[in-house]
Each structure stands twice: as C-alpha cells, then as structure tokens.
C-alpha cells in the first residue's frame, strides 16, 4: 500500500466537504501531490513571510507596513485585513521568546497528515504555544478549528515537543486553544482518514 501524505489544511478541507463533492477535493489533492510547488499560486505567501519576519525582527508593524506597500494591488485589500487582525492578536504574544519548530505527523492506516506550525512562542511562565495561522476571508468554522487542534496536538511531540497548539483565525484576531477531549473524537477522525485513504486509492488505481 502506497503511503499518502497530505497537509493539515488539505485534510480539514476534506472533512468539511460532504457527499460527492469529496471526490473533487481528493482529486485536487492527487494533482497537487505531483505538481511542483509554485509561489505564484500561494496567495498569502508574501504576507505570511512578513508576519514571520516581523516576529523575528521584533519590529512587526514596520515589516508589515512595508509588505503592504509592496503588495500586488489585487491582493492588497486581503493583506490589509490580515495585517489588521494580526496586530489585534499580537499583544497576546507580548514577552514571549521564539521556539524552534519542525514538521510533525499524524499517521493512520497509510495516511499521514503533516502539521507544520508557523511559529512557536515560550511565555514568561514557561509554557509554549505552537501557532498555526489561518488567513482566509471566510471565518474559520469552529468544527474546522477543533479538528485542526486535535490533529496538531497529536503531531506536537514531533513538531514542537511540550507545546500546546493554537489555531489563529488571523483576520478576526481570534485564537482557538481547546483541544477536543470527547473519547469518540479520535474514532471519528480515524474513520474519516480511512475513508479518505480508500477514495484516494480508487482515484489513482
């Protein structure tokens, strides 16, 4: 059985989709798995890079303002909304120190979901949070945030040992931190992973 790797956001897109439309989602993932990465198709790449550069430099506002000034006109309104939301969220990171991050993985039955936090921060009391940033115009559904948190938490020993995951809906300046603890939640996700795996096998078989 050929192993399949998929980014966290891609698997959550599948979870969100219902019925026959899931075939379209999985088909798109098959195409993406063989196409080389193209920065031109990554809509938020520039503003994400600016957010991370601002954190590294400690001069967030200046770096973000420069990124906005250099943004392509077609993306500027979206980038402005991202910057406004990030600046509202940023005070929550006051006094933190940067922590190294890696790619973690959640594995089930030949399917691997890759989880790569965008950044991690250690607070003065010693606890560490690993942040994954969501930047789309549509508000992040609570159900999507919950699935992302559970999968990220499962992958965290590899991605950032000892850290707690946080999903940040950047435009809204909102952080999701409560990992689902219902005992049935892992069973649901493993069932969904098995279904996704079967669908991918049919598509490439």
């Amino acid at each position: 059985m050929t192993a399949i790797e998929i980014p966290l956001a891609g698997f959550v897109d599948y979870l969100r989709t219902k019925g026959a439309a899931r075939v379209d989602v999985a088909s798109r993932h098959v195409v993406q798995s063989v196409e080389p990465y193209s920065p031109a198709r990554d809509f938020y790449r520039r503003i994400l890079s600016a957010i991370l550069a601002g954190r590294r430099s400690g001069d967030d506002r200046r770096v973000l303002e420069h990124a906005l000034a250099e943004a392509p006109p077609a993306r500027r309104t979206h980038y402005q909304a991202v910057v406004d939301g990030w600046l509202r969220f940023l005070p929550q990171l006051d006094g933190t120190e940067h922590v190294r991050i890696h790619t973690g993985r959640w594995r089930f039955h030949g399917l691997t979901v890759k989880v790569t936090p965008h950044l991690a921060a250690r607070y003065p009391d010693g606890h560490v949070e690993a942040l994954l940033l969501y930047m789309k115009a549509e508000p992040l559904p609570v159900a999507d945030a919950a699935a992302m948190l559970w999968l990220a938490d499962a992958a965290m020993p590899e991605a950032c040992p000892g850290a707690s995951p946080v999903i940040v809906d950047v435009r809204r300046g909102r952080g999701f931190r409560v990992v689902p603890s219902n005992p049935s939640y892992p069973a649901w996700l493993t069932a969904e992973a098995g279904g996704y795996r079967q669908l991918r096998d049919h598509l490439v078989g």
Side-chain angles (χ1 to χ4, degrees), residues 21-135:
R22 286 186 158 187
V23 177
D24 295 332
V25 173
S27 296
R28 185 169 67 249
H29 292 166
V30 171
V31 172
Q32 291 170 345
S33 70
V34 296
E35 284 186 343
Y37 169 72
S38 171
R41 293 198 299 268
D42 192 340
F43 189 89
Y44 293 101
R45 179 183 63 87
R46 291 189 182 186
I47 199 63
L48 174 59
S49 295
I51 286 174
L52 301 182
R55 286 281 75 204
R56 289 192 297 269
S57 71
D59 195 356
D60 301 271
R61 188 176 294 274
R62 182 189 62 80
V63 174
L64 292 170
E65 287 176 350
H66 176 74
L68 286 175
E70 297 294 320
R75 302 186 182 189
R76 193 164 293 138
T77 299
H78 290 280
Y79 283 13
Q80 183 69 65
V82 168
V83 168
D84 291 345
W86 181 245
L87 290 176
R88 289 195 300 273
F89 180 84
L90 207 50
Q92 297 186 41
L93 300 179
D94 283 350
T96 60
E97 300 176 353
H98 300 300
V99 177
R100 185 181 298 274
I101 54 173
H102 307 277
T103 294
R105 291 168 173 83
W106 176 75
R107 301 173 177 88
F108 177 76
H109 194 57
L111 175 67
T112 297
V113 178
K114 297 189 298 183
V115 178
T116 307
H118 292 105
L119 57 95
R122 178 177 288 108
Y123 290 80
D125 67 358
H127 86 277
V128 177
E129 290 186 335
L131 281 61
L132 295 98
L133 309 184
Y134 169 91
M135 300 186 181

